């Protein structure tokens, strides 16, 4: 009888330890376009997520929004969800106030789910600042884009493994990033990345190849010309760079990859490509978010 009680107590303790604890934050935003202006008409948040008031540094057609994580970073057990909806013809740029941080795990994983719905004629630029994954972190991000015909999405993800400025490397933990773009029930692009920590994967040419940063930029909305693809490659090769990069054509867009050691290097290249795509698709130059300069 005592043995049964002991087993039951241990089982209950084990199950309790697996129940996620920590922040369960959420963000729900809706943008509409009316009379040449994009407005944020619905803004529902739950801590630690928050959004600043809208900015219009390039005119009323494009609404800039800055997302804040008021707790400073994610830990094991945290669950964050973001739902962004752009109504027809709305144009929005969303970034983050600072680099995101995923701290060493307490045994549980940290997870973020992002759902983006972009209706016909709308254009979303999803441009978060880098994510720093600390040694020992266990993190997964799932991002799904529902893209209507004649809608466009440009998104990037810049991830640094370990606090490399302090000499930290990603020797323990796990990172997963799942991105899917769908249109009317058909997949346009599915990208699943997994990086288990450890010396082997850090140094492998099929992993980090000794570099602390990987990054991806994806543009989907319309076919890109050979000229744009060539120009995107020239933008990389025209300057002395330390990292590695590649550009691949998609059915309705392109994807750019980076592996290296400099956030500034990859963001400058991505910004050049963003400018190229902005000019070719909407005929307007980019305006960098002010928060990037802080």
């Amino acid at each position: 009888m005592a043995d049964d009680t002991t087993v039951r107590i241990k089982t209950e303790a084990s199950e309790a330890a697996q129940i996620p604890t920590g922040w369960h934050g959420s963000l729900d935003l809706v943008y509409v376009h009316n009379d040449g202006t994009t407005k944020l008409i619905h803004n529902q948040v739950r801590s630690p997520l928050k959004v600043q008031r809208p900015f219009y540094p390039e005119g009323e057609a494009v609404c800039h929004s800055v997302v804040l994580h008021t707790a400073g970073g994610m830990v094991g057990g945290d669950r964050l969800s973001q739902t962004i909806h752009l109504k027809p013809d709305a144009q929005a740029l969303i970034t983050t106030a600072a680099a995101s941080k995923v701290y060493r795990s307490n045994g549980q994983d940290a997870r973020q789910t992002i759902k983006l719905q972009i209706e016909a004629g709308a254009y979303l630029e999803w441009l978060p600042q880098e994510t720093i994954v600390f040694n020992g972190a266990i993190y997964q991000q799932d991002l799904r884009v529902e893209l209507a015909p004649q809608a466009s999405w440009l998104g990037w993800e810049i991830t640094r493994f370990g606090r490399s400025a302090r000499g930290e490397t990603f020797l323990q933990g796990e990172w997963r990033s799942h991105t899917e773009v769908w249109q009317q029930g058909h997949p346009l692009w599915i990208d699943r990345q997994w990086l288990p920590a450890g010396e082997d994967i850090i140094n492998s040419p099929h992993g980090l190849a000794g570099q602390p940063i990987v990054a991806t930029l994806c543009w989907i909305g319309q076919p890109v010309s050979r000229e744009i693809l060539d120009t995107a490659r020239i933008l990389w090769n025209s300057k002395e760079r330390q990292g590695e990069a590649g550009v691949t054509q998609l059915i309705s867009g392109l994807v750019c990859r980076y592996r290296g050691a400099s956030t500034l290097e990859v963001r400058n290249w991505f910004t050049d490509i963003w400018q190229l795509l902005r000019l070719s698709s909407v005929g307007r130059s980019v305006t960098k978010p002010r928060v990037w300069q802080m």
Side-chain angles (χ1 to χ4, degrees):
M1 193 71 173
D3 289 342
D4 290 343
T5 302
T6 301
V7 170
R8 186 174 68 252
I9 292 173
K10 288 183 178 180
T11 300
E12 291 174 351
S14 176
E15 292 175 349
Q18 296 175 7
I19 298 174
T21 58
W23 290 103
H24 287 224
S26 61
L27 179 73
D28 188 1
L29 307 178
V30 179
Y31 296 83
V32 298
H33 178 266
N34 187 31
D35 293 331
T37 302
T38 295
K39 295 181 179 180
L40 177 60
I41 63 164
H42 178 76
N43 174 7
Q44 183 175 352
V45 300
R46 182 169 63 179
S47 293
L49 294 179
K50 189 176 181 181
V51 65
Q52 293 182 354
R53 64 176 178 81
F55 296 94
Y56 293 90
E58 52 184 311
E60 295 184 344
V62 184
C63 181
H64 286 221
S65 294
V66 178
V67 176
L68 297 85
H69 189 291
T70 58
M74 297 183 69
V75 299
D78 282 1
R79 296 290 184 266
L80 301 181
S81 65
Q82 300 188 49
T83 302
I84 315 295
H85 186 182
L86 269 65
K87 297 285 190 175
D89 299 320
Q91 298 182 54
L93 183 156
I94 299 177
T95 188
T96 53
S100 300
K101 300 178 181 67
V102 186
Y103 297 114
R104 184 180 184 87
S105 174
N106 55 7
Q108 300 176 351
D109 67 334
R111 185 170 298 182
Q112 177 164 225
T113 302
I114 302 168
K115 297 179 181 179
L116 310 176
Q117 183 179 353
I118 309 170
E119 297 193 26
Y123 179 23
L124 174 61
E125 293 167 331
W126 179 261
L127 311 177
Q129 300 198 59
E130 75 170 335
T131 297
I132 303 172
V133 182
F134 285 39
N135 181 42
I138 303 175
Y139 177 64
Q140 177 168 327
Q141 176 175 285
D142 296 290
L143 188 154
R144 182 179 175 109
V145 183
E146 294 288 347
L147 195 67
Q150 289 81 54
S152 301
W153 174 70
L154 185 145
W156 72 39
E157 182 178 68
I158 302 171
T159 306
R160 179 184 296 272
F161 295 96
R163 292 168 291 177
S164 50
R166 299 187 179 185
E168 181 182 277
T169 53
F170 193 54
L171 300 177
Q172 295 179 306
E174 182 178 81
W175 170 81
R176 294 178 184 269
S177 175
H178 298 167
T179 301
E180 299 186 3
V181 183
W182 291 76
Q183 188 173 76
Q184 296 182 315
H186 299 284
L188 297 181
W189 185 58
I190 294 179
D191 185 53
R192 296 191 174 187
Q193 300 184 61
W194 173 48
L195 189 85
E199 290 278 6
D200 291 344
I201 198 70
I202 287 173
N203 296 315
S204 169
H206 304 294
L208 296 182
Q211 303 287 2
I213 297 174
V214 294
T216 300
L217 177 149
C218 183
W219 152 262
I220 297 183
Q222 55 187 273
V224 298
S225 66
R226 172 57 59 179
E227 180 182 3
I228 289 177
L229 290 171
D230 290 342
T231 302
R233 296 183 179 112
I234 290 170
L235 287 170
W236 173 263
N237 294 321
S238 62
K239 297 180 182 179
E240 185 175 345
R241 312 278 192 178
Q242 300 300 314
E244 304 170 84
V247 180
T248 303
Q249 185 174 20
L250 300 176
I251 295 175
S252 299
L254 61 77
V255 61
C256 302
R257 304 282 196 184
Y258 171 88
R259 183 171 64 184
S262 172
T263 301
L264 182 61
E265 180 178 67
V266 64
R267 193 159 75 179
N268 284 343
W269 181 48
F270 279 4
T271 300
D272 288 342
I273 295 171
W274 173 31
Q275 166 80 343
L276 172 68
L277 295 170
R278 261 282 193 107
L279 289 173
S280 66
S281 61
V282 297
R284 182 174 58 248
S285 295
V286 305
T287 299
K288 297 179 185 179
R290 184 177 59 188
V291 70
W292 289 1
Q293 303 169 14
M294 295 180 179

